[in-house]
Amino acid sequence: MTKGRNKKQKRPLAAGASRPAKPVRKRPGKDAALAPRTVRRTAVLVGVLAPLLIVGLLALATNPDHQVACTVLAILVLMASVVGLMLIRSTGWVVWPAVLLGVLLLVLPTSAIRAQLIAQRGVETRVVVTSAHSGKDKMGKVSWTCDIRREDHQPLPHGTIGGIGCSGGSVGTTATVLVDPAGWAPPATRDEDLSFRGIGVYVTGVVAVLWAALTFGAAHRALRGKGTRGGRKGGK
């Protein structure tokens, strides 16, 4: 059999009949098909409400009793915010800066607000180290945490410290630490650079402003793109 006979031959169309048009594949647009009003509302929720909620949750996380729950909630809010930002502007450069700013929003507030609380209202208190615990991180670096109690046997909320001066040989020794009289923030050693850590509060504010600017910039570009496409369709 010849090669031509093996190929399927198209049947000739009947007189007056036309071939059906091939379905046109629609390419996905650059941005999600959100109405302009929905884009604006989403931008307000993502750009303003989300960072306020994240920072507020992490401010509550300065109390170790609430740290785990509030941190998990802050992470969930951040994830929802990134999804909302992707709905506003699904392509381009917006995603990776959003992830970077989101990580900074999660990392900075808790330690910075703790440092500010202790720096503003911390009271020097004599404590006794009752026990010490060591642990290794993924890099093999050993870190120590020490359990402490007040020398006058008064209640001491969150009686744990770490860092310089805490080691296996510290058990039974006395030290002076900074204690929050309200019992909200955990104690801190006098060797900690609280002023440097406290700067993180202002950095957090700058990051939140950058997050809002990124969100509203993405919304503006999305709305401008829709307006341009609408103008072209109207022109046609």
Side-chain angles (χ1 to χ4, degrees), residues 1-235:
M1 296 178 66
T2 61
K3 187 176 182 180
R5 291 178 182 177
N6 291 335
K7 293 183 178 179
K8 293 182 179 180
Q9 299 292 333
K10 293 183 179 180
R11 296 180 180 179
L13 295 175
S18 59
R19 295 185 182 276
K22 294 182 178 180
V24 180
R25 295 182 179 178
K26 295 183 179 180
R27 295 182 178 179
K30 289 186 176 181
D31 300 313
L34 298 178
R37 188 175 182 181
T38 305
V39 170
R40 295 187 185 97
R41 287 181 176 180
T42 306
V44 172
L45 291 175
V46 173
V48 178
L49 184 60
L52 290 177
L53 190 55
I54 290 172
V55 174
L57 286 169
L58 294 177
L60 292 176
T62 55
N63 188 326
D65 294 337
H66 311 308
Q67 183 171 1
V68 175
C70 291
T71 302
V72 170
L73 289 176
I75 293 172
L76 293 177
V77 172
L78 176 61
M79 293 172 63
S81 302
V82 173
V83 172
L85 191 57
M86 292 177 66
L87 289 176
I88 296 172
R89 186 75 178 172
S90 57
T91 58
W93 47 267
V94 69
V95 176
W96 292 113
V99 172
L100 175 61
L101 293 175
V103 170
L104 291 176
L105 277 177
L106 289 178
V107 171
L108 292 174
T110 300
S111 61
I113 295 174
R114 277 180 182 172
Q116 283 284 10
L117 288 175
I118 293 296
Q120 294 295 326
R121 61 188 190 186
V123 176
E124 292 188 354
T125 305
R126 295 289 293 176
V127 297
V128 179
V129 179
T130 58
S131 62
H133 314 278
S134 63
K136 289 184 179 181
D137 58 16
K138 295 181 179 180
M139 303 299 294
K141 183 180 179 181
V142 178
S143 59
W144 289 86
T145 57
C146 291
D147 296 330
I148 57 175
R149 63 170 176 82
R150 290 176 61 120
E151 198 174 36
D152 56 7
H153 299 282
Q154 294 295 318
L156 179 63
H158 321 302
T160 303
I161 59 171
I164 300 174
C166 175
S167 64
S170 302
V171 179
T173 62
T174 59
T176 301
V177 299
L178 297 174
V179 174
D180 178 12
W184 181 269
T189 63
R190 293 190 300 176
D191 298 324
E192 296 184 39
D193 192 351
L194 298 176
S195 59
F196 176 77
R197 288 171 54 193
I199 295 175
V201 173
Y202 306 101
V203 178
T204 300
V206 173
V207 172
V209 171
L210 291 176
W211 173 275
L214 177 69
T215 303
F216 288 110
H220 176 72
R221 290 174 65 89
L223 292 172
R224 187 176 63 180
K226 289 182 180 182
T228 303
R229 290 194 294 271
R232 289 177 181 174
K233 290 181 180 178

